[in-house]
Amino acid sequence: IEEKMIRKEAVHTVLQKLKQLPSLYGEIILLRYIEGFSVAQTARIVGKPSLVVRVTQHRAIKKLQQLCKDYG
């Protein structure tokens, strides 16, 4: 039960940090990792080339890691 509480708090923290990212960063993270879309599918949805999606995804992950690290 304690592990569930910790996991729930961690998910909540990550979702809050996602809101601090630029909108395209957050959208790409949600589409790729929450919705499970491929890079090509995500590119079509956001109207950007696949290369832009891959680069933005990388930058978004780095920024999210930094925000979460600063948190705790």
Side-chain angles (χ1 to χ4, degrees), residues 1-44:
I1 294 178
E2 185 175 327
E3 187 176 313
K4 264 185 150 177
M5 292 289 289
I6 292 170
R7 173 171 265 137
K8 185 176 180 180
E9 184 178 323
V11 168
H12 177 73
T13 299
V14 170
L15 291 175
Q16 289 301 110
K17 299 299 178 184
L18 267 176
K19 293 177 184 177
Q20 295 177 23
L21 296 175
S23 61
L24 183 60
Y25 283 24
E27 185 175 8
I28 288 174
I29 293 295
L30 289 173
L31 290 169
R32 294 281 293 127
Y33 295 101
I34 306 301
E35 298 295 331
F37 288 110
S38 69
V39 171
Q41 291 169 320
T42 301
R44 280 193 298 277

